[in-house]
Amino acid sequence: MPQTADFILDRLRQWNIHRIFGYPGDGINSLLGALDRADGDPELIQPRHEEMGAFMATAHAKFTGEIGCCLATSGGGTIHLLNGLYDAKLDHQPVVAIVGQQKRIALGSAYQQEIDPNTLYKDVSEFVQTCMHPAQARQLIDRACKVALTNRTVATIIVPEDVAMEEAQPSPPREHGAVYTTAGRTESRTIPEQSELRKAAEVLNEGEKVGILVGQGAAKAADEVVEVAELLGAGVAKTSLGREVLPDDLPYVTGPIGLLGSTASHEMVMNADTLLFIGTSFPYAEWLPPEGQCKGVEIDIDGRMIGVRYPMDAQLVGDSRDTLQELIPMLQRKQDRSWREKIESEVDEWWRVLDDRAHDEADPLNPELVVHELSKRLPDDCVITTDAGSVANWWSRHLKLRKGMSASLAGNLATMGPGTPYAISAKFAFPDRPAIALVGDGVFQMNGMLELITVKGYLDRMSRSPLIFCVFNNRDLNQVTWEQRAMGGERKFPGSQNIPDVPYAEWARLLGFTGIRCDSPDDLGAAWDEALAANGPVVFEVVVDSEIPPIPPHIKKMQAQKVAKALREGDPQTWGIVAKGAKQKAHEFTESVKEAMPGRER
């Protein structure tokens, strides 16, 4: 007779879950046996660490729109999932976690590996319940999936080993307290009240300088965003999580915003008289206009998060696409296009600045040039991931994404670790699409190198198109180094920031993969061509200069003062920072002068 564990997997299948990322342990022996009997549906993908499995489940949700699912044993395995699950929670992705537990008879006895996951998971999971009876499994799976999908969050089911071993009860006994649930969920159309839509239209129609900011909540509304931007003569900036909403080859897309942002986005937002936020909870007030400068309209499906970042005159609680479709007929096309022309001019200038910055001399490689050269070669339909660190600056700014490309990172948690497992997960979901992870050496040492062993274990699934891990080798935890200077006013502390120099390309070759190492700008283009021509895993190690600063679009006075303090106190890289930082920032001034003198050659 089927066990409860078999029924759990069958119910997950009914929710279109056909892949589970998990690591074995005796607390889930029955679930592992059921996975063996399932003949690959759902299939178990075994990473090297439960945290990586949770990241992979989050990436699966991000890149496919389906529920991501991860599995861990009791005790330490359950604890290991947490970082990846917090990534899903903070980036609003539907993930269901299945975790093991000791047998019911042992609970409360301080038994080996006994922890209290109900308490531990209360913050990360919007729904967390223990399956105490085989007949309870049906409603717990159904409710977990409904909560995860509806609220775009994490839901967790705790399965004691003895319950998993018991005979399945697909239909509960017909008695008081029994609950009968249905698998499946239908989408609903969520739109605001007409009165609030009219108020929003009035604000946007009156605005003369409209700036739009989109986040991942606008992902399914790209066509509508384009139509609104055209009507209003507006530019569109993108948060890191909204990176793929609109392609970067549209002349009015100003690119990233904030510390990792562009000068074009900064100029647009700071000079706008009206802001339209679509599907974003961008949190940084210092990168938005002063309160009272702008009128605002915001669209968000979560009423708890609307109007909590900037004062808004109209708050449209609804799905981005549905709401924009209702709003568009109320909008008037602006006849004066001077604001749009200014934005497009600044976007054009920004791309020239990036080109100039990428070609600044460095020792040995300019990290910006690495991404700049990739951008020119991006394959159609590729998936591009990155990680926390200075590499996220170059990923945000230099990649010119086209329509059909996918890109993501751990946006709100900003944790180290997801870049590599994100790319691996994307490869499982889309084996024919090229996948490229841009990661720093610190995070690759932390957990990325071991996940190459996961790739080796599934090599037949990873070899239908390029899977590239581009590792930026600068022997420095570079983003934190710059944050110590700009935020803390502290000089670089080598004891915390320096990391070992590891032969990453050689590690790849040991595993039977393609390993490429580049430390010369003259060889960079050819090295990228070689990596992108591979059908299978590649570690592309680029030896880059840690002194190239991630210059923000506008240097705040306090940041400048703190960096100056750090340099006065004897930062070991003082002279390189001063020379290279000044040159990087000077490109903005140089391009402005060229723009003002159209008769001069550029």
Side-chain angles (χ1 to χ4, degrees):
M1 295 294 291
Q3 296 180 351
T4 303
D6 296 286
F7 174 77
I8 287 172
L9 297 185
D10 181 65
R11 203 67 175 180
L12 292 174
R13 274 193 297 270
Q14 293 181 48
W15 280 95
N16 200 33
I17 294 173
H18 302 288
R19 185 173 298 124
I20 298 175
F21 301 93
Y23 202 82
D26 62 0
I28 52 172
N29 277 339
S30 294
L31 284 161
L32 297 173
L35 282 163
D36 185 24
R37 292 187 291 275
D39 293 327
D41 188 16
E43 66 171 335
L44 176 68
I45 300 297
Q46 184 203 92
R48 308 276 57 79
H49 192 286
E50 290 92 350
E51 179 188 13
M52 298 294 99
F55 281 136
M56 291 177 187
T58 301
H60 181 88
K62 284 187 173 186
F63 293 131
T64 69
E66 303 168 352
I67 299 174
C69 188
C70 54
L71 173 69
T73 190
S74 53
T78 296
I79 295 167
H80 283 163
L81 287 178
L82 283 172
N83 196 37
L85 293 179
Y86 269 105
D87 182 28
K89 176 190 175 177
L90 270 62
D91 282 358
H92 310 291
Q93 297 301 320
V95 171
V96 170
I98 311 289
V99 300
Q101 179 58 294
Q102 294 299 328
K103 295 180 178 180
R104 289 170 295 179
I105 196 172
L107 297 180
S109 68
Y111 204 76
Q112 185 184 35
Q113 288 190 335
E114 182 192 351
I115 64 169
D116 181 7
N118 290 87
T119 299
L120 183 68
Y121 272 56
K122 277 189 181 298
D123 183 56
V124 75
S125 293
E126 193 159 325
F127 177 86
V128 53
Q129 292 291 331
T130 301
C131 186
M132 299 301 291
H133 189 283
Q136 191 186 7
R138 172 175 156 182
Q139 63 100 347
L140 289 184
I141 294 291
D142 289 350
R143 281 217 65 214
C145 292
K146 290 175 191 289
V147 169
L149 281 171
T150 302
N151 294 353
R152 303 193 62 79
T153 189
V154 177
T156 302
I157 303 164
I158 305 158
V159 185
E161 179 62 10
D162 56 330
V163 176
M165 294 169 61
E166 287 191 27
E167 183 179 329
Q169 294 190 34
S171 184
R174 190 166 179 78
E175 61 184 44
H176 182 70
V179 175
Y180 298 83
T181 56
T182 305
R185 170 183 170 272
T186 59
E187 294 287 342
S188 60
R189 191 165 187 261
T190 308
I191 56 174
E193 292 286 343
Q194 286 292 309
S195 58
E196 198 69 12
L197 285 164
R198 287 192 293 270
K199 185 192 299 184
E202 183 178 341
V203 170
L204 295 171
N205 287 332
E206 288 179 354
E208 296 179 358
K209 300 177 180 180
V210 181
I212 300 174
L213 176 60
V214 297
Q216 67 174 351
K220 296 180 180 179
D223 292 341
E224 289 77 10
V225 172
V226 167
E227 188 171 356
V228 169
E230 291 290 353
L231 285 169
L232 300 177
V236 182
K238 304 185 291 186
T239 67
S240 292
L241 287 174
R243 187 80 173 79
E244 64 180 47
V245 173
L246 292 186
D248 291 301
D249 51 14
L250 292 174
Y252 53 84
V253 170
T254 62
I257 187 173
L259 193 65
L260 279 59
S262 72
T263 55
S265 292
H266 187 71
E267 289 298 312
M268 178 186 74
V269 169
M270 290 303 179
N271 290 295
D273 60 21
T274 308
L275 293 177
L276 171 58
F277 283 18
I278 307 173
T280 177
S281 58
F282 180 74
Y284 302 113
E286 68 270 29
W287 298 103
L288 296 174
E291 182 176 6
Q293 174 181 313
C294 286
K295 289 191 172 183
V297 173
E298 183 172 5
I299 301 171
D300 201 300
I301 199 165
D302 188 349
R304 299 171 301 177
M305 292 301 296
I306 201 161
V308 299
R309 301 303 193 210
Y310 193 82
M312 293 293 167
D313 298 272
Q315 302 178 50
L316 304 176
V317 179
D319 173 80
S320 293
R321 181 171 58 188
D322 293 340
T323 300
L324 288 174
Q325 287 174 352
E326 294 290 320
L327 181 63
I328 285 170
M330 303 180 185
L331 299 179
Q332 301 165 3
R333 178 177 173 82
K334 297 192 185 301
Q335 299 305 311
D336 183 355
R337 310 305 278 188
S338 58
W339 171 245
R340 165 63 76 83
E341 291 166 2
K342 182 176 186 294
I343 289 169
E344 292 185 359
S345 173
E346 287 166 350
V347 169
D348 187 54
E349 179 180 332
W350 170 245
W351 286 114
R352 292 198 301 270
V353 167
L354 287 179
D355 191 318
D356 291 341
R357 286 183 180 179
H359 288 91
D360 279 347
E361 290 185 6
D363 183 19
L365 264 178
N366 186 331
E368 294 177 278
L369 184 63
V370 174
V371 186
H372 183 80
E373 289 296 324
L374 168 62
S375 185
K376 295 188 291 187
R377 296 168 167 83
L378 282 176
D380 292 337
D381 204 30
C382 64
V383 180
I384 313 165
T385 70
T386 194
D387 230 303
S390 58
V391 67
N393 291 272
W394 324 133
W395 176 90
S396 294
R397 295 172 181 167
H398 284 268
L399 289 177
K400 204 165 191 176
L401 299 186
R402 303 188 302 275
K403 189 173 183 179
M405 296 178 178
S406 300
S408 196
L409 75 172
N412 287 297
L413 187 60
T415 182
M416 293 179 73
T420 295
Y422 269 29
I424 295 170
S425 181
K427 205 67 178 169
F428 279 115
F430 310 110
D432 293 321
R433 294 178 64 177
I436 306 165
L438 303 179
V439 298
D441 49 0
V443 74
F444 203 60
Q445 288 182 20
M446 179 180 281
N447 52 35
M449 294 180 72
L450 290 184
E451 284 313 302
L452 294 192
I453 301 174
T454 301
V455 173
K456 186 174 179 64
Y458 298 94
L459 194 56
D460 59 324
R461 311 272 290 276
M462 303 282 146
S463 300
R464 287 162 56 175
S465 63
L467 171 59
I468 302 170
F469 304 96
C470 182
V471 184
F472 288 66
N473 181 354
N474 59 16
R475 290 80 62 205
D476 181 38
L477 298 176
N478 199 235
Q479 185 73 9
V480 176
T481 297
W482 287 104
E483 288 171 345
Q484 286 177 346
R485 294 166 178 144
M487 297 180 181
E490 302 287 347
R491 64 185 183 181
K492 175 182 176 177
F493 172 37
S496 74
Q497 299 312 106
N498 288 353
I499 60 174
D501 189 4
V502 174
Y504 305 104
E506 289 183 29
W507 168 239
R509 295 185 198 114
L510 283 174
L511 293 171
F513 305 155
T514 300
I516 303 169
R517 188 178 189 271
C518 183
D519 59 6
S520 168
D522 295 334
D523 300 332
L524 184 57
W528 266 124
D529 290 337
E530 181 185 353
L532 290 163
N535 277 329
V538 178
V539 172
F540 181 25
E541 177 187 352
V542 286
V543 185
V544 297
D545 192 335
S546 64
E547 294 180 354
I548 300 295
I551 299 286
H554 175 70
I555 298 177
K556 309 291 184 182
K557 181 178 180 181
M558 184 61 69
Q559 291 173 331
Q561 291 173 338
K562 289 187 175 181
V563 170
K565 175 177 178 290
L567 300 185
R568 286 197 305 270
E569 292 181 356
D571 191 287
Q573 295 178 306
T574 294
W575 293 113
I577 291 167
V578 170
K580 294 167 187 174
K583 191 171 184 180
Q584 287 266 304
K585 197 63 182 171
H587 289 305
E588 295 173 28
F589 173 75
T590 302
E591 290 299 335
S592 296
V593 171
K594 291 177 181 177
E595 185 70 22
M597 302 174 67
R600 299 291 295 274
E601 182 181 349
R602 290 182 186 150

